Amino acid sequence: MQNSNTSFSPEVIEKGKPAAITAYILVVGAFIALSMNSEDKNPYASFHVRQALGLSLLFIIIGYTLSGYWNPMIVYPFWIFISILWSYGIYTAIAGQTRPIPLLGNLFQKFFKNF
């Protein structure tokens, strides 16, 4: 598992950056990036694929759970929370960093360690 203390060589980061950024594009981006990274298993891309896959599943679970509740006081805070985490993830992917997403990133790394 990589964390903020792990540094990859600039070559590894540059090779993995397209898949890492793609992973954060909507929900399907995580699956596209997973297939992009399936052959060479770039560790930088794998880190961000795990982060984005966790966020995508969280997005789907929260959306399904709250589908019957359209009270803005309940739904909007969750979407804002997910949007902030997503923005943080794509920022770190573009910046060439491997910082886990706050609160949930380390959990995503453990849960999706085979990806």
Side-chain angles (χ1 to χ4, degrees), residues 2-108:
Q2 291 81 30
N3 57 32
S4 60
N5 298 329
T6 303
S7 61
F8 298 113
S9 69
E11 296 82 25
V12 169
I13 292 172
E14 285 307 311
K15 279 186 175 181
K17 217 177 236 192
I21 294 169
T22 301
Y24 292 103
I25 299 174
L26 299 175
V27 175
V28 298
F31 297 107
I32 293 169
L34 191 61
S35 69
M36 288 171 66
N37 195 42
S38 65
E39 263 184 51
D40 62 356
K41 291 289 185 189
N42 181 292
Y44 178 75
S46 294
F47 175 87
H48 285 287
V49 166
R50 289 189 292 267
Q51 297 289 292
L53 188 58
L55 280 176
S56 296
L57 291 177
L58 184 65
F59 178 79
I60 291 168
I61 290 168
I62 288 175
Y64 179 74
T65 303
L66 297 178
S67 63
Y69 304 102
W70 283 109
N71 181 345
M73 297 296 285
I74 296 172
V75 176
Y76 290 165
F78 286 106
W79 296 139
I80 291 169
F81 174 70
I82 293 291
S83 298
I84 290 169
L85 294 180
W86 226 303
S87 299
Y88 181 83
I90 198 163
Y91 170 77
T92 59
I94 292 169
Q97 301 170 349
T98 54
R99 292 188 298 194
I101 292 170
L103 304 174
L104 301 169
N106 289 327
L107 180 66
F108 294 157

